[in-house]
Amino acid sequence: DGFWNYVVTHCDFNSTDSKDITFIWSYYYNKLEIVRFDSSVGRYVGYTELGVKNAEAWNSGPEVVQMRNEKERYCVNNVGNDYRSAVTKS
């Protein structure tokens, strides 16, 4: 009885080295991924008609620059803590 709109942000990593870390931001609508930013690609990619239109607009504006910086701010600064915590627990 309604529509679901949500964003998932996460970091994929297998070491604390920056080159081994990927920042992913995904926008979903009713369980369908509409558009994604992946730091390994370096731009937004749309998966639906609306997502493609948004990706085109965001890739030509300041949004893409901000998202490229999110890997450093969101992932690289925090992965070290997560990695150390996981290694000490295993």
Side-chain angles (χ1 to χ4, degrees):
D1 290 54
F3 300 100
W4 288 89
N5 171 10
Y6 56 97
V7 173
V8 176
T9 304
H10 66 278
C11 306
D12 290 340
F13 62 95
N14 58 18
S15 82
T16 58
D17 190 341
S18 180
K19 69 177 176 49
D20 294 329
I21 300 171
T22 303
F23 169 77
I24 298 174
W25 176 96
S26 296
Y27 177 87
Y28 291 85
Y29 182 74
N30 280 353
K31 301 180 185 178
L32 178 66
E33 188 173 21
I34 305 299
V35 65
R36 171 188 291 189
F37 178 87
D38 182 329
S39 66
S40 63
V41 176
R43 63 185 181 87
Y44 290 92
V45 176
Y47 298 107
T48 65
E49 184 179 343
L50 177 61
V52 169
K53 288 179 183 178
N54 283 325
E56 289 172 359
W58 295 341
N59 285 329
S60 61
E63 295 87 356
V64 74
V65 175
Q66 178 184 354
M67 290 306 261
R68 287 176 182 155
N69 293 328
E70 286 297 290
K71 175 182 172 180
E72 186 71 30
R73 186 193 70 78
Y74 187 78
C75 295
V76 174
N77 286 332
N78 295 305
V79 161
N81 294 331
D82 296 339
Y83 192 79
R84 282 188 295 280
S85 177
V87 169
T88 60
K89 303 278 190 281
S90 58

